[in-house]
Amino acid sequence: MKINFLSLLFCLSLVQMSWAQFPIGRRTVTFTDPSRANRSISAEVCYPATSAGSNANFANGQFPLVVFGHGFVMTYTAYDVVWQALVPEGYIVVLPTTEGSFSPSHGNFGQDIAFLVNAFRNENTNSSSVYFGKLSGSTAVMGHSMGGGAAFLAAQQDPTITAFATLAAAETNPSAINAAKNISMPALVFSGGDDCVTPPANHQIPMYDSLASNCKTFISITDGSHCQFASNNFNCNLGEGTCNPVPAITRAAQQSTTFSLLLPWLNFYLKNNSGSGVQFQNSLANPVGFSSQQNCSLTQTTALETLQKEEIHLYPNPATKHIRLQLGTDSAENIQISSMDGKVLISQSNYSNNEEISVAQLPVGIYVVRVKTKNSSSTLLLQVLQ
């Protein structure tokens, strides 16, 4: 029987869009980075749980990881709107609490964000950790203001991060604009049209223009301000109160528009949900309360378009015992084969061109294959037969 892979994936994605809402669990963690003189990195973790509250049990399943950086002299509590939007939809949100002083190190903050991505990957494979087996394998870095600029610095350091998104990102030292030139992963850059703290012309627009990503999107919230991407915060409001124009829309309206775009985008990249990609593109085609620009299209054909651009071929397909990948380069940094619900079943680092990968252990079905090379990432579909 002939199978239309894209139609099948699209139908499955529409079903997945109706997943259950999860209660929000909360934990506080502290890691030590031996590569930086045993630097202590603390963070708040919000995650899908069986019941709401501190140290609640994890919900069943595996979930994408999002590490979110805070703004200048803003605490993680200013971003309750972020975890309240993402965690019930099945995301683990980690918020570093470092660099909260009046003289923060942007470089260290970017490294902290990148470090936490890898720290939780390690926890995911540690059988004694409460996070053991809870990560799906997809990761994103995000941030607001200073944390948005630091997300650029983090993404530059770790090309295995799946995607990243920023809210009113601020230029940093070292430069987030310069870092963008080295970033090829999918990116979503939000700005406020009336942001007087980090004016888009000097901050988010040059960041977006500098990005080397094959798929990047810029969103400008009409009449949006800098601080209204977060919850009401005294320090942010104080800074915003010294410049003009004042916010011309409500905080609720700005956040509603932001998350109506952010969630489908994350679902597309971190949950392999092509239906969400269609939803995102439909929103861009019929904008309400925002304007946008984009160099790609998040449709169910994006995977095949990327495959063609990168000259990556997977064979045999369908497969029974093994597959090989013919790359447009000598090697890939990482290959992941995931089930349709996002669970990573096979992962291989430092893959050599045309090297054999066994899939004999996989049940009959359709799988998502992610290929990360030095300069890009691609997504393919694989059918496994008996």
Side-chain angles (χ1 to χ4, degrees):
M1 179 179 66
K2 185 176 180 181
I3 296 177
N4 186 320
F5 290 104
L6 294 177
S7 297
L8 176 58
L9 179 57
F10 180 62
C11 292
L12 288 173
S13 297
L14 292 178
V15 173
Q16 291 171 359
M17 290 174 70
S18 63
W19 52 69
Q21 295 277 302
F22 294 97
I24 300 174
R26 297 271 298 275
R27 291 178 181 270
T28 301
V29 297
T30 301
F31 295 99
T32 299
D33 183 358
S35 70
R36 289 184 287 163
N38 290 325
R39 175 180 170 86
S40 180
I41 303 169
S42 56
E44 194 74 12
V45 185
C46 302
Y47 56 91
T50 56
S51 60
S54 297
N55 300 317
N57 292 329
F58 260 92
N60 291 329
Q62 293 183 310
F63 310 100
L65 174 72
V66 176
V67 181
F68 188 98
H70 61 78
F72 176 65
V73 294
M74 295 177 69
T75 64
Y76 77 90
T77 57
Y79 302 100
D80 55 353
V81 62
V82 174
W83 74 70
Q84 288 170 5
L86 268 60
V87 174
E89 299 295 332
Y91 290 90
I92 299 172
V93 180
V94 176
L95 303 103
T97 56
T98 56
E99 300 302 330
S101 73
F102 282 93
S103 56
S105 167
H106 300 156
N108 274 331
F109 199 35
Q111 290 183 69
D112 291 347
I113 293 172
F115 174 88
L116 285 168
V117 171
N118 283 304
F120 275 88
R121 285 172 174 166
N122 292 335
E123 291 294 298
N124 190 53
T125 60
N126 179 1
S127 60
S128 63
S129 171
V130 68
Y131 306 103
F132 175 64
K134 290 302 177 183
L135 274 63
S136 68
S138 299
T139 58
V141 292
M142 289 185 59
H144 170 241
S145 192
M146 177 186 78
F152 275 85
L153 302 181
Q156 175 187 233
Q157 296 174 44
D158 187 354
T160 68
I161 293 168
T162 309
F164 84 106
T166 58
L167 310 176
E171 171 65 327
T172 51
N173 182 20
S175 171
I177 295 172
N178 287 338
K181 299 174 184 177
N182 302 314
I183 298 173
S184 59
M185 67 190 65
L188 178 60
V189 178
F190 282 95
S191 73
D194 287 344
D195 184 344
C196 64
V197 178
T198 59
N202 300 325
H203 295 263
Q204 300 93 48
I205 291 176
M207 292 174 188
Y208 175 80
D209 289 341
S210 296
L211 279 166
S213 173
N214 287 330
C215 195
K216 59 182 180 179
T217 307
F218 179 83
I219 304 289
S220 176
I221 305 298
T222 306
D223 299 325
S225 76
H226 184 80
C227 295
Q228 289 187 162
F229 283 110
S231 297
N232 191 31
N233 178 266
F234 175 82
N235 287 335
C236 194
N237 293 343
L238 183 64
E240 193 168 60
T242 63
C243 62
N244 288 302
V246 297
I249 58 173
T250 66
R251 190 179 303 271
Q254 181 164 336
Q255 292 175 358
S256 176
T257 300
T258 298
F259 288 103
S260 71
L261 295 163
L262 176 63
L263 275 167
W265 187 87
L266 287 174
N267 289 342
F268 177 80
Y269 280 110
L270 272 63
K271 293 187 175 183
N272 299 311
N273 192 318
S274 64
S276 292
V278 174
Q279 179 184 350
F280 182 82
Q281 291 303 137
N282 286 342
S283 295
L284 295 193
N286 302 281
V288 177
F290 70 93
S291 59
S292 67
Q293 58 178 297
Q294 190 181 48
N295 71 342
C296 62
S297 177
L298 275 63
T299 66
Q300 60 265 43
T301 62
T302 297
L304 295 185
E305 291 169 355
T306 302
L307 172 61
Q308 184 177 15
K309 290 178 182 178
E310 295 301 318
E311 298 181 352
I312 296 176
H313 301 280
L314 185 158
Y315 66 95
N317 192 9
T320 55
K321 296 181 180 180
H322 67 268
I323 60 169
R324 298 178 188 269
L325 290 159
Q326 182 179 341
L327 309 174
T329 182
D330 291 335
S331 63
E333 294 179 345
N334 186 255
I335 307 290
Q336 287 187 346
I337 302 178
S338 304
S339 58
M340 295 301 294
D341 62 2
K343 183 178 181 180
V344 177
L345 303 174
I346 298 174
S347 181
Q348 182 171 332
S349 300
N350 302 318
Y351 176 84
S352 299
N353 199 9
N354 285 309
E355 182 179 351
E356 183 177 292
I357 299 176
S358 174
V359 295
Q361 70 273 38
L362 298 178
V364 172
I366 305 296
Y367 297 88
V368 177
V369 181
R370 286 188 171 181
V371 184
K372 291 186 180 293
T373 64
K374 181 178 180 181
N375 297 314
S376 66
S377 62
S378 300
T379 304
L380 302 81
L381 295 178
L382 166 67
Q383 183 184 15
V384 174
L385 303 177
Q386 289 182 339

